[in-house]
Amino acid sequence: RGQLLEVSVHGLSLENNTLGFSSQRDVRIYLPPGYESDTRRRYPVIYVLHGITDPLTTWTVPWSDAEIDYGTIQNLMDRGIDSGLLQEMIVVLFDARTPYFGCHYVNSAVKGNWQDFLAHDLVSYVDTNYRTLARRESRGAMGHSMGGYGALRVGLDRPDIFSAVYGLSPSVLGWSGDLSAENPAFAIVATDDDPAEHIESNFYVGAVIGISQAFSPNPDRPPLYADFPFRMSGDELVPNEPAHSRWESNFLANRIDAYLQQAFKLNGIMFDAGFADQFSHIPPTSRALSEALTDKNVEHTFEMYNGDHRNRLWGDDGRLYTEALPFLSRTLLGE
């Protein structure tokens, strides 16, 4: 069996953030079974990005007793390596939670430079302290929901650091369904004097505030330090510029022209979505991203499957074990 280590990593890129959260982040590192016995061998590394409100235990503690054998990232890795499905790899997970629902793994004037933390601070720490294959061809990222967006984004932004990415049900890829002006949360943040009061009763209010702090931050607008993408005009919501355009500039399908050279440098791009995802914007915007990549002849794999936002992730037939980890194992270069 492999080891799961608990460490703390300082994020230089997160220092002096406007929201005042700690730049010291909890990190879990999985070392494969052969790590201790063969002290000369070096390993590929997968960086795992969690969802918008998820703790690290989402990946490291089984959701139910029925899933215990295939219900944690360390058990999936152990069983995959033992069966020959996966090569031996190091897996790195980190806590990216912030006040107001996560960071979306982008650089923000309010939430800190999370992409830099991942691509520089954390990669440098892991390469310095563990026997990694410290090259882009042996480094990949995967994530779920907000983490799915983050994995795709960091791969397309930084193909000099990562060579393969997998997005599980990536969120916030574009306007659609529950991520549109039709969602009452956008009216609440646009009109309420204290929209944060609604967070406990309305998940989307916290999500809109958090995403705005990532996509359209405004350090000069306390207490929420963000410009919101819609405003009231009479009785209807209309785009609020420049925040609305700043959101759209972060939607990945809108960035493909700018990403084209970076996209061609990646050795593997894969993402998926469930037909019954409760976050209704995810299936159509995932398809739109695939279509945008296809239009530019960027090789990638996109799959729709029968499932919702979480119910097909774990287990010996879940997508982590049958799709995401095998894809990265095949794509990342070992010794």
Side-chain angles (χ1 to χ4, degrees), residues 54-93:
D54 291 342
L56 284 180
T57 51
T58 296
W59 300 101
T60 61
V61 176
W63 282 53
S64 71
D65 291 341
E67 292 179 336
I68 192 165
D69 289 338
Y70 292 87
T72 65
I73 201 72
Q74 61 269 29
N75 283 355
L76 293 183
M77 287 298 302
D78 283 346
R79 281 157 176 75
I81 291 167
D82 186 57
S83 68
L85 177 68
L86 305 176
Q87 65 167 313
E88 292 204 22
M89 299 178 287
I90 294 172
V91 180
V92 179
L93 313 99

CSV table of all heavy atoms in Angstrom, one decimal, residues 54-93:
chain,number,residue,atom,x,y,z
A,54,ASP,N,-15.8,21.8,-1.2
A,54,ASP,CA,-15.3,20.5,-0.7
A,54,ASP,C,-14.0,20.6,0.1
A,54,ASP,O,-13.1,21.4,-0.2
A,54,ASP,CB,-15.0,19.6,-1.9
A,54,ASP,CG,-16.3,19.1,-2.6
A,54,ASP,OD1,-17.4,19.3,-2.0
A,54,ASP,OD2,-16.2,18.7,-3.8
A,55,PRO,N,-13.9,19.9,1.2
A,55,PRO,CA,-12.7,19.8,2.0
A,55,PRO,C,-11.8,18.7,1.3
A,55,PRO,O,-12.2,18.0,0.5
A,55,PRO,CB,-13.2,19.4,3.4
A,55,PRO,CG,-14.4,18.5,3.1
A,55,PRO,CD,-15.0,19.2,1.9
A,56,LEU,N,-10.6,18.6,1.8
A,56,LEU,CA,-9.7,17.6,1.4
A,56,LEU,C,-10.2,16.2,1.6
A,56,LEU,O,-9.9,15.2,0.9
A,56,LEU,CB,-8.3,17.7,2.0
A,56,LEU,CG,-7.4,18.8,1.6
A,56,LEU,CD1,-6.1,18.8,2.3
A,56,LEU,CD2,-7.1,18.7,0.1
A,57,THR,N,-11.0,16.0,2.7
A,57,THR,CA,-11.5,14.7,3.0
A,57,THR,C,-12.5,14.2,1.9
A,57,THR,O,-12.8,13.0,1.9
A,57,THR,CB,-12.2,14.7,4.3
A,57,THR,OG1,-13.2,15.8,4.4
A,57,THR,CG2,-11.2,14.9,5.5
A,58,THR,N,-13.0,15.1,1.0
A,58,THR,CA,-13.8,14.6,-0.1
A,58,THR,C,-13.0,13.5,-0.9
A,58,THR,O,-13.6,12.6,-1.4
A,58,THR,CB,-14.1,15.8,-1.0
A,58,THR,OG1,-14.9,16.7,-0.3
A,58,THR,CG2,-14.8,15.3,-2.3
A,59,TRP,N,-11.7,13.7,-0.9
A,59,TRP,CA,-10.8,12.7,-1.7
A,59,TRP,C,-10.2,11.6,-0.8
A,59,TRP,O,-9.9,10.6,-1.4
A,59,TRP,CB,-9.7,13.5,-2.4
A,59,TRP,CG,-10.1,14.5,-3.3
A,59,TRP,CD1,-10.2,15.9,-3.1
A,59,TRP,CD2,-10.6,14.4,-4.7
A,59,TRP,NE1,-10.6,16.5,-4.2
A,59,TRP,CE2,-10.8,15.6,-5.2
A,59,TRP,CE3,-10.7,13.2,-5.5
A,59,TRP,CZ2,-11.3,15.8,-6.5
A,59,TRP,CZ3,-11.2,13.4,-6.8
A,59,TRP,CH2,-11.4,14.7,-7.3
A,60,THR,N,-10.1,11.8,0.5
A,60,THR,CA,-9.3,10.9,1.3
A,60,THR,C,-10.1,10.1,2.3
A,60,THR,O,-9.6,9.2,3.0
A,60,THR,CB,-8.2,11.7,2.0
A,60,THR,OG1,-8.9,12.7,2.9
A,60,THR,CG2,-7.3,12.4,1.1
A,61,VAL,N,-11.4,10.4,2.5
A,61,VAL,CA,-12.3,9.7,3.4
A,61,VAL,C,-13.5,9.1,2.6
A,61,VAL,O,-14.1,9.9,1.9
A,61,VAL,CB,-12.8,10.6,4.6
A,61,VAL,CG1,-13.8,9.8,5.4
A,61,VAL,CG2,-11.6,11.1,5.4
A,62,PRO,N,-13.8,7.8,2.7
A,62,PRO,CA,-14.9,7.3,1.9
A,62,PRO,C,-16.2,8.0,2.2
A,62,PRO,O,-16.5,8.3,3.4
A,62,PRO,CB,-15.0,5.8,2.4
A,62,PRO,CG,-13.6,5.5,2.9
A,62,PRO,CD,-13.1,6.8,3.5
A,63,TRP,N,-17.0,8.1,1.2
A,63,TRP,CA,-18.4,8.7,1.4
A,63,TRP,C,-19.3,7.7,2.1
A,63,TRP,O,-20.3,8.2,2.8
A,63,TRP,CB,-19.0,9.1,0.0
A,63,TRP,CG,-18.4,10.3,-0.5
A,63,TRP,CD1,-17.1,10.6,-0.7
A,63,TRP,CD2,-19.1,11.5,-1.0
A,63,TRP,NE1,-16.9,11.9,-1.2
A,63,TRP,CE2,-18.2,12.5,-1.4
A,63,TRP,CE3,-20.4,11.8,-1.1
A,63,TRP,CZ2,-18.5,13.7,-1.9
A,63,TRP,CZ3,-20.8,13.0,-1.6
A,63,TRP,CH2,-19.9,14.0,-2.0
A,64,SER,N,-19.1,6.4,2.0
A,64,SER,CA,-19.9,5.4,2.6
A,64,SER,C,-19.1,4.2,2.8
A,64,SER,O,-18.1,3.9,2.2
A,64,SER,CB,-21.2,5.1,1.7
A,64,SER,OG,-20.8,4.4,0.6
A,65,ASP,N,-19.6,3.3,3.7
A,65,ASP,CA,-18.9,2.1,4.0
A,65,ASP,C,-18.9,1.2,2.8
A,65,ASP,O,-18.0,0.4,2.6
A,65,ASP,CB,-19.6,1.3,5.2
A,65,ASP,CG,-19.4,2.0,6.5
A,65,ASP,OD1,-18.5,2.8,6.6
A,65,ASP,OD2,-20.2,1.8,7.4
A,66,ALA,N,-19.9,1.3,1.9
A,66,ALA,CA,-20.0,0.5,0.7
A,66,ALA,C,-18.9,0.8,-0.3
A,66,ALA,O,-18.5,0.0,-1.1
A,66,ALA,CB,-21.4,0.6,0.1
A,67,GLU,N,-18.3,2.0,-0.2
A,67,GLU,CA,-17.3,2.4,-1.1
A,67,GLU,C,-15.9,2.4,-0.6
A,67,GLU,O,-15.0,2.9,-1.2
A,67,GLU,CB,-17.7,3.9,-1.6
A,67,GLU,CG,-18.9,4.0,-2.4
A,67,GLU,CD,-19.2,5.5,-2.8
A,67,GLU,OE1,-18.7,6.3,-2.1
A,67,GLU,OE2,-19.9,5.7,-3.8
A,68,ILE,N,-15.7,1.8,0.6
A,68,ILE,CA,-14.4,2.0,1.3
A,68,ILE,C,-13.3,1.5,0.4
A,68,ILE,O,-12.2,2.1,0.4
A,68,ILE,CB,-14.5,1.3,2.7
A,68,ILE,CG1,-13.3,1.7,3.5
A,68,ILE,CG2,-14.6,-0.2,2.6
A,68,ILE,CD1,-13.4,1.4,5.0
A,69,ASP,N,-13.4,0.4,-0.3
A,69,ASP,CA,-12.3,-0.2,-1.1
A,69,ASP,C,-11.9,0.7,-2.3
A,69,ASP,O,-10.8,0.7,-2.7
A,69,ASP,CB,-12.6,-1.6,-1.5
A,69,ASP,CG,-12.6,-2.6,-0.4
A,69,ASP,OD1,-12.0,-2.3,0.6
A,69,ASP,OD2,-13.3,-3.7,-0.5
A,70,TYR,N,-12.9,1.4,-2.8
A,70,TYR,CA,-12.7,2.2,-4.0
A,70,TYR,C,-13.2,3.6,-3.7
A,70,TYR,O,-13.7,4.3,-4.7
A,70,TYR,CB,-13.3,1.6,-5.2
A,70,TYR,CG,-12.7,0.3,-5.7
A,70,TYR,CD1,-13.1,-0.9,-5.2
A,70,TYR,CD2,-11.7,0.3,-6.6
A,70,TYR,CE1,-12.5,-2.1,-5.6
A,70,TYR,CE2,-11.1,-0.8,-7.1
A,70,TYR,CZ,-11.5,-2.0,-6.5
A,70,TYR,OH,-10.9,-3.2,-7.0
A,71,GLY,N,-13.2,4.1,-2.5
A,71,GLY,CA,-13.8,5.3,-2.1
A,71,GLY,C,-12.9,6.4,-1.7
A,71,GLY,O,-13.3,7.5,-1.2
A,72,THR,N,-11.6,6.2,-1.9
A,72,THR,CA,-10.6,7.3,-1.6
A,72,THR,C,-9.6,7.3,-2.7
A,72,THR,O,-9.3,6.3,-3.4
A,72,THR,CB,-9.9,7.1,-0.2
A,72,THR,OG1,-9.1,5.9,-0.3
A,72,THR,CG2,-10.9,6.9,0.9
A,73,ILE,N,-8.9,8.4,-2.9
A,73,ILE,CA,-7.9,8.5,-3.9
A,73,ILE,C,-6.7,7.5,-3.6
A,73,ILE,O,-6.2,6.9,-4.5
A,73,ILE,CB,-7.4,9.9,-4.1
A,73,ILE,CG1,-6.8,10.1,-5.5
A,73,ILE,CG2,-6.5,10.3,-3.0
A,73,ILE,CD1,-7.8,10.2,-6.6
A,74,GLN,N,-6.4,7.4,-2.3
A,74,GLN,CA,-5.3,6.5,-2.0
A,74,GLN,C,-5.6,5.0,-2.3
A,74,GLN,O,-4.8,4.2,-2.8
A,74,GLN,CB,-4.8,6.7,-0.6
A,74,GLN,CG,-5.8,6.4,0.5
A,74,GLN,CD,-6.6,7.6,0.9
A,74,GLN,OE1,-6.8,8.5,0.1
A,74,GLN,NE2,-7.0,7.6,2.2
A,75,ASN,N,-6.9,4.6,-2.0
A,75,ASN,CA,-7.3,3.2,-2.3
A,75,ASN,C,-7.4,3.0,-3.8
A,75,ASN,O,-7.1,1.9,-4.3
A,75,ASN,CB,-8.6,2.9,-1.6
A,75,ASN,CG,-8.4,2.7,-0.1
A,75,ASN,OD1,-7.3,2.7,0.4
A,75,ASN,ND2,-9.5,2.5,0.6
A,76,LEU,N,-7.9,4.0,-4.5
A,76,LEU,CA,-8.0,3.8,-6.0
A,76,LEU,C,-6.6,3.6,-6.6
A,76,LEU,O,-6.4,2.8,-7.5
A,76,LEU,CB,-8.7,5.0,-6.6
A,76,LEU,CG,-10.1,5.3,-6.3
A,76,LEU,CD1,-10.6,6.5,-7.1
A,76,LEU,CD2,-11.0,4.0,-6.7
A,77,MET,N,-5.7,4.4,-6.1
A,77,MET,CA,-4.3,4.3,-6.6
A,77,MET,C,-3.7,3.0,-6.3
A,77,MET,O,-3.1,2.3,-7.1
A,77,MET,CB,-3.4,5.5,-6.0
A,77,MET,CG,-3.7,6.8,-6.6
A,77,MET,SD,-3.4,6.9,-8.4
A,77,MET,CE,-1.7,6.5,-8.5
A,78,ASP,N,-3.8,2.5,-5.0
A,78,ASP,CA,-3.3,1.2,-4.6
A,78,ASP,C,-3.8,0.1,-5.4
A,78,ASP,O,-3.1,-0.7,-5.9
A,78,ASP,CB,-3.6,1.0,-3.1
A,78,ASP,CG,-2.8,1.8,-2.1
A,78,ASP,OD1,-1.7,2.3,-2.6
A,78,ASP,OD2,-3.1,1.8,-1.0
A,79,ARG,N,-5.2,0.1,-5.6
A,79,ARG,CA,-5.8,-1.0,-6.4
A,79,ARG,C,-5.4,-0.9,-7.9
A,79,ARG,O,-5.2,-1.9,-8.5
A,79,ARG,CB,-7.3,-1.0,-6.2
A,79,ARG,CG,-7.6,-1.6,-4.8
A,79,ARG,CD,-9.0,-1.2,-4.2
A,79,ARG,NE,-9.2,-1.9,-3.0
A,79,ARG,CZ,-8.6,-1.7,-1.8
A,79,ARG,NH1,-7.7,-0.7,-1.8
A,79,ARG,NH2,-8.9,-2.4,-0.8
A,80,GLY,N,-5.4,0.3,-8.4
A,80,GLY,CA,-5.0,0.5,-9.8
A,80,GLY,C,-3.6,0.0,-10.1
A,80,GLY,O,-3.3,-0.6,-11.1
A,81,ILE,N,-2.7,0.4,-9.2
A,81,ILE,CA,-1.3,0.0,-9.3
A,81,ILE,C,-1.1,-1.5,-9.2
A,81,ILE,O,-0.5,-2.2,-10.0
A,81,ILE,CB,-0.4,0.7,-8.3
A,81,ILE,CG1,-0.3,2.2,-8.7
A,81,ILE,CG2,1.0,0.1,-8.3
A,81,ILE,CD1,0.3,3.1,-7.5
A,82,ASP,N,-1.8,-2.1,-8.2
A,82,ASP,CA,-1.7,-3.6,-8.0
A,82,ASP,C,-2.3,-4.4,-9.1
A,82,ASP,O,-1.7,-5.4,-9.5
A,82,ASP,CB,-2.5,-3.9,-6.7
A,82,ASP,CG,-2.4,-5.4,-6.3
A,82,ASP,OD1,-1.2,-5.8,-6.1
A,82,ASP,OD2,-3.4,-6.1,-6.2
A,83,SER,N,-3.3,-3.8,-9.8
A,83,SER,CA,-3.9,-4.6,-10.9
A,83,SER,C,-3.2,-4.3,-12.2
A,83,SER,O,-3.5,-5.0,-13.2
A,83,SER,CB,-5.4,-4.2,-11.1
A,83,SER,OG,-5.5,-2.8,-11.5
A,84,GLY,N,-2.3,-3.4,-12.3
A,84,GLY,CA,-1.6,-3.0,-13.5
A,84,GLY,C,-2.4,-2.0,-14.3
A,84,GLY,O,-1.9,-1.6,-15.4
A,85,LEU,N,-3.5,-1.5,-13.8
A,85,LEU,CA,-4.3,-0.5,-14.5
A,85,LEU,C,-3.5,0.9,-14.6
A,85,LEU,O,-3.6,1.6,-15.5
A,85,LEU,CB,-5.6,-0.3,-13.9
A,85,LEU,CG,-6.5,0.8,-14.4
A,85,LEU,CD1,-7.0,0.4,-15.8
A,85,LEU,CD2,-7.7,1.0,-13.5
A,86,LEU,N,-2.8,1.2,-13.5
A,86,LEU,CA,-2.1,2.5,-13.3
A,86,LEU,C,-0.6,2.2,-13.1
A,86,LEU,O,-0.2,1.3,-12.4
A,86,LEU,CB,-2.7,3.2,-12.1
A,86,LEU,CG,-4.2,3.5,-12.0
A,86,LEU,CD1,-4.5,4.1,-10.7
A,86,LEU,CD2,-4.6,4.3,-13.2
A,87,GLN,N,0.2,3.1,-13.6
A,87,GLN,CA,1.6,3.2,-13.3
A,87,GLN,C,1.7,3.8,-11.9
A,87,GLN,O,0.8,4.5,-11.4
A,87,GLN,CB,2.4,3.9,-14.3
A,87,GLN,CG,2.1,5.4,-14.4
A,87,GLN,CD,3.2,6.2,-15.2
A,87,GLN,OE1,4.4,6.0,-15.0
A,87,GLN,NE2,2.7,7.0,-16.2
A,88,GLU,N,2.9,3.6,-11.3
A,88,GLU,CA,3.1,4.2,-10.0
A,88,GLU,C,3.3,5.7,-10.1
A,88,GLU,O,4.1,6.1,-10.9
A,88,GLU,CB,4.3,3.6,-9.3
A,88,GLU,CG,4.0,2.1,-8.8
A,88,GLU,CD,4.9,1.7,-7.7
A,88,GLU,OE1,5.4,2.5,-6.9
A,88,GLU,OE2,5.1,0.5,-7.5
A,89,MET,N,2.5,6.5,-9.4
A,89,MET,CA,2.5,7.9,-9.5
A,89,MET,C,2.4,8.6,-8.1
A,89,MET,O,1.8,8.0,-7.2
A,89,MET,CB,1.4,8.4,-10.4
A,89,MET,CG,1.5,7.9,-11.9
A,89,MET,SD,0.1,8.5,-12.9
A,89,MET,CE,-1.3,7.5,-12.2
A,90,ILE,N,2.9,9.8,-8.0
A,90,ILE,CA,2.6,10.6,-6.8
A,90,ILE,C,1.4,11.4,-7.0
A,90,ILE,O,1.1,11.9,-8.2
A,90,ILE,CB,3.8,11.5,-6.5
A,90,ILE,CG1,5.0,10.6,-6.1
A,90,ILE,CG2,3.5,12.5,-5.4
A,90,ILE,CD1,6.3,11.4,-6.0
A,91,VAL,N,0.5,11.5,-6.0
A,91,VAL,CA,-0.7,12.3,-6.2
A,91,VAL,C,-0.7,13.4,-5.1
A,91,VAL,O,-0.4,13.1,-3.9
A,91,VAL,CB,-2.0,11.5,-6.0
A,91,VAL,CG1,-3.2,12.3,-6.1
A,91,VAL,CG2,-2.0,10.4,-7.1
A,92,VAL,N,-1.0,14.6,-5.5
A,92,VAL,CA,-0.9,15.8,-4.6
A,92,VAL,C,-2.3,16.4,-4.5
A,92,VAL,O,-2.9,16.8,-5.6
A,92,VAL,CB,0.1,16.8,-5.0
A,92,VAL,CG1,0.1,18.0,-4.1
A,92,VAL,CG2,1.5,16.2,-5.1
A,93,LEU,N,-2.9,16.6,-3.3
A,93,LEU,CA,-4.1,17.3,-3.1
A,93,LEU,C,-3.9,18.4,-2.1
A,93,LEU,O,-3.1,18.4,-1.2
A,93,LEU,CB,-5.2,16.3,-2.5
A,93,LEU,CG,-5.3,14.9,-3.1
A,93,LEU,CD1,-4.5,13.9,-2.3
A,93,LEU,CD2,-6.7,14.5,-3.2
